[in-house]
Amino acid sequence: MLMILGPTRLLVVASAMLASAGQAAASPQPDPGKKACVQEARRLCTAEMKSLSRKKVEACMIVKIDQTSPTCHAAMLRIRAEREAAAKR
């Protein structure tokens, strides 16, 4: 069913659509490395995954970084750099 909107309603609908599009663009984008690393962490760091400690899993993955996929490898390099920067503060 096609509805014909008056100029005021059209403006309101268009504004709402732009606002929701802006919110979607402003929301953080999912990290593709995170998804890749979760699957690899299950394989490479089983005990740490069971501990539910993010820090332990990250530390294990950094140690085993050479065994990770390129996507996960890049994410782990970023995490390692963030940890080193935080340690220097």
Side-chain angles (χ1 to χ4, degrees), residues 5-86:
L5 301 175
T8 304
R9 284 193 175 176
L10 184 58
L11 182 60
V12 170
V13 170
S15 296
M17 289 173 63
L18 288 173
S20 66
Q23 288 173 348
S27 65
Q29 298 299 316
D31 182 357
K34 195 179 236 183
K35 185 175 181 180
C37 287
V38 168
Q39 294 170 351
E40 293 178 39
R42 286 185 184 132
R43 179 176 51 88
L44 297 171
C45 303
T46 307
E48 291 79 1
M49 287 292 285
K50 288 180 182 177
S51 75
L52 301 177
S53 168
R54 181 179 182 165
K55 288 186 178 191
K56 287 181 181 180
V57 173
E58 287 176 354
C60 174
M61 291 296 285
I62 288 169
V63 169
K64 298 181 179 187
I65 196 167
D66 291 334
Q67 299 174 44
T68 61
S69 68
T71 304
C72 181
H73 189 96
M76 295 316 302
L77 288 175
R78 189 186 73 248
I79 290 169
R80 184 171 66 186
E82 290 170 0
R83 282 184 168 205
E84 289 171 356

